[in-house]
Structure formats: C-alpha cells, structure tokens
Amino acid sequence: MPVLQERLGGRPIPRRLPLVLGGVGDALLYLVVYSVAFRFARAALSDPPGWTPAQGMSPGQTWVLALAYAPMLLWPAALTAALVGYRRGRA
C-alpha cells in the first residue's frame, strides 16, 4: 500500500516535522497540565488549605468539579499515543 505524501502549498511536508512540532507541543502540554494539577493538589492539601475553586463547595459540587477536570490529565497521554501512531504509520 503506497504512503500518501502530505502537502502544504504544493510542497511536501518533511516526515519528521509533524513529529518534532507535536513532540514539543506534547512536552509543553505535560508541563502545563501537571503543574496546574500539582499546584491545585498542594493548595487543597496544605494546612491551612490554600484557596482553590472548591472552597465553599459541597462534596457533590466538588465531585462534579473533579469529574469535569479529570479528562485534562489524560490529554497529554492521548497526544503521545497519537504521535506514536503517526510515527508507526509513516515509518
């Protein structure tokens, strides 16, 4: 099965360019997402607790907040899997 060559403006895109740019973006995404999660956890678990959006919420509201933001933690891993799949498909 022939591999289709991606093109931008009529010119071929180098095979490594999407991997390099995606890898840099993925590394930054890991840094941002997990630093925010770490800061939130540190503020919530400190004594006395620091300010968090969960302050003053009922336990049910806190669960809704956690469930709404939990997928954020999976996004960098999903991007890593996509980059690995792209690399295997273009090898």
Side-chain angles (χ1 to χ4, degrees), residues 47-63:
D47 189 32
W51 184 88
T52 65
Q55 246 176 347
M57 290 183 173
S58 72
Q61 291 170 326
T62 304
W63 271 102

Side-chain angles (χ1 to χ4, degrees), residues 4-5 9 12 18-19 23-24 26 30 36 46 52-53 56 64 68-69 81 88:
L4 298 176
Q5 181 74 24
L19 291 172
V24 169
D26 194 23
Y30 272 107
V36 167
S46 65
T52 65
V64 169
Y69 281 94
R88 287 183 180 172

Side-chain angles (χ1 to χ4, degrees):
M1 171 179 267
V3 175
L4 298 176
Q5 181 74 24
E6 291 95 3
R7 295 189 166 276
L8 183 64
R11 301 179 74 189
I13 298 173
R15 288 179 182 227
R16 290 191 182 180
L17 182 64
L19 291 172
V20 170
L21 294 178
V24 169
D26 194 23
L28 290 173
L29 191 59
Y30 272 107
L31 180 69
V32 169
V33 167
Y34 288 106
S35 68
V36 167
F38 175 74
R39 287 181 182 191
F40 182 79
R42 189 178 65 188
L45 299 174
S46 65
D47 189 32
W51 184 88
T52 65
Q55 246 176 347
M57 290 183 173
S58 72
Q61 291 170 326
T62 304
W63 271 102
V64 169
L65 177 74
L67 290 174
Y69 281 94
M72 171 183 78
L73 300 173
L74 301 175
W75 190 252
L79 181 56
T80 300
L83 286 170
V84 169
Y86 179 85
R87 172 68 177 105
R88 287 183 180 172
R90 298 291 172 207

